[in-house]
Amino acid sequence: MRVWTLVLSAVFAVSLGVVLYSVYQIGSSELEIQRGVEAWDQIRLDSPPSTTAAAPEDQHLVGKISFPAIDKQFPIVRGVSDEDLKEGVGYDPATPSLGSNGNAVLAGHRDGVFRKLGQLRNGDEVVVETMNGTFRYQIVGHVIVSQYDKQAVQPSREPLLTLITCYPFTYIGNAPNRYIITAKLINNADQGLAQGTSAS
């Protein structure tokens, strides 16, 4: 009986440790995300988009993304490595610039910035700020594909935004699928309709 009590106590202690560590990690990540949003807002205050050029290619913080339907906003950083995605939503620099013609790709962790991505619906708005202005997109579709599906994100002549995260959202370990949202540019809030502008 005493052995089982010790085993149960050990299991409880380990479980509690894992939970506390997870809470700490989430709290630290959210604090870093908030700092990124504040840093971007300060950049925009210091350098209005109408008087600045596109962000240099070596600039890490390149914008901010907002989801009004779920009341969330996150910094956009250049790069999609694990380290990049700890800091915010990652812009894939191999894809067209945000707000321009083509399919710009953003990625995020399903247990981080894109935790609530599954709550978004067709017709919801996605707002992207870069040094070239504020771009408003409307969600037009979503799809779940295998992580090995290399054809899931297609090039486009029209200005599109693709958001990618792992799926299922509650999967433990490396999730086998990808959840992909496609949004279409509806306008550039700073300059009217966007016509092949450059950003990022």
Side-chain angles (χ1 to χ4, degrees), residues 14-15 23 32 34 44 68 70 83 85 88 106 140 145 158 161-162 164 180 191 195:
V14 169
S15 299
V23 169
E32 188 169 357
Q34 183 58 39
R44 285 295 294 263
I70 56 174
E83 288 303 309
L85 299 187
L106 296 177
V140 294
V145 300
E158 63 179 325
L161 179 68
T162 294
I164 301 176
I180 299 176
Q191 301 169 358
Q195 296 293 331

Side-chain angles (χ1 to χ4, degrees), residues 2-20:
R2 184 173 179 178
V3 172
W4 280 111
T5 301
L6 290 174
V7 169
L8 289 174
S9 296
V11 168
F12 175 77
V14 169
S15 299
L16 181 61
V18 169
V19 169
L20 291 176

Side-chain angles (χ1 to χ4, degrees), residues 1 23 28 82 95 121-122 142 154 158 178-179 182:
M1 185 73 173
V23 169
S28 298
D82 281 340
T95 64
R121 298 291 178 259
N122 287 358
H142 69 275
Q154 292 290 325
E158 63 179 325
R178 298 295 177 262
Y179 188 85
T182 302

Side-chain angles (χ1 to χ4, degrees), residues 19-31:
V19 169
L20 291 176
Y21 178 75
S22 297
V23 169
Y24 168 76
Q25 288 290 91
I26 291 171
S28 298
S29 175
E30 289 183 355
L31 183 59

Side-chain angles (χ1 to χ4, degrees), residues 127-149:
V127 183
V128 173
E129 293 181 12
T130 73
M131 293 301 285
N132 275 18
T134 300
F135 304 96
R136 297 186 180 279
Y137 294 84
Q138 186 174 55
I139 295 175
V140 294
H142 69 275
V143 64
I144 298 166
V145 300
S146 164
Q147 63 178 314
Y148 303 110
D149 187 347

Side-chain angles (χ1 to χ4, degrees), residues 7 21-22 42 52 59-60 62 74 79 105 141 157 163 167 175 188 194 200:
V7 169
Y21 178 75
S22 297
Q42 189 61 50
T52 58
Q59 183 173 316
H60 191 57
V62 297
F74 307 104
V105 175
R157 291 185 178 180
L163 308 175
Y167 186 86
N188 174 339
S200 296

